[in-house]
Amino acid sequence: MANGGPVEHGFPHLETVREAVTALYRRLSYDTVRTFSASVAPVDVAFCDTDDLYLGTQRVAHELVRHYRLPDARMIVSFREMTHAANVELTAGPEYFVELNDRFRTHRRDIGAALAHEVMHVYLHRLDLSFPSTRDNEILTDTATTYLGAGWLLLDAYREDAASSQKLGYLTPEEFGYVLAKRALVFGEDPSVWFTSPQAYTAYGKGLALARRDEQQPPLTAAGWAGRRRYARDRRHAQDPHAPGAAGGDPYSFTAQPPGQLRVSFPCPTCHQRIRVPVRGRVRARCGLCRTVLECDT
């Protein structure tokens, strides 16, 4: 939790975020991901200053348990002084003990954001889905929280001005915006209408621009002129080793399997699983993981 300190910006964890989206689809399946088409509604996690602290916190925790479809999980929430925003004790259940930073006693509007992350820890624990390192596992948790409909709360908790700052979670504001945008493009929703933080709009806009660029990379037909020209050059080099070499850095790659039959592989713009198609002009491909239909010009 950044509390008055510097807030990291940009996309430093982008590779891990994309791996997390792929892992989510692989573990849950396309059908299960689609059951989260509705995000957590602001009215269901609203918390005003006149609400009883503990009863209100339990109500919000229960709503997030319901959203994640953990009907037999019970959250016991308490408050104490700590460095991090919150902590959850992962056990066999059905009771889970969540500790929230004492800061939330007076910053109650952000209790839903803190609980969204901690309840997702429980959800992933029950799925037995995790990444090896603590850092990557926290990025997985933030990504899953956002992609499954509760992460807009975490981005909305980001506020920054000349005198103070606050950010929850391990992703940067722009990375939260990116995952929110990936979700919005899949489910056709606009999470920006729920933001109360002015800085959240800006971060979401930057994330949305990057998410749209994912859908405009060659060999997809939506790629721009510069991308298509670069792709054609790299394809010539793959077909003729004596042609000018590729500059590198592009997400696609060419292989000849079997020899003489060139294929190109590239990440699915929705779930980032790599797709391999033959190089033979216009091709329609369907991702086997997220079922996205892709129009390609190979």
Side-chain angles (χ1 to χ4, degrees), residues 173-197:
E174 294 77 14
E175 287 168 341
F176 273 120
Y178 174 75
V179 182
L180 268 178
K182 301 293 280 190
R183 171 186 166 80
L185 292 171
V186 169
F187 294 113
E189 67 179 11
D190 180 9
S192 66
V193 300
W194 303 320
F195 295 151
T196 61
S197 164

Side-chain angles (χ1 to χ4, degrees), residues 15-25 129 131 139-140 143-144:
E15 182 178 350
T16 307
V17 166
R18 287 170 170 166
E19 291 173 356
V21 173
T22 306
L24 205 58
Y25 271 98
L129 175 59
F131 280 177
I139 292 171
L140 168 65
T143 303

Side-chain angles (χ1 to χ4, degrees), residues 15 38 88 94 104 109 134 208:
E15 182 178 350
V88 62
F104 294 114
R109 61 186 285 191
T134 299
L208 179 59

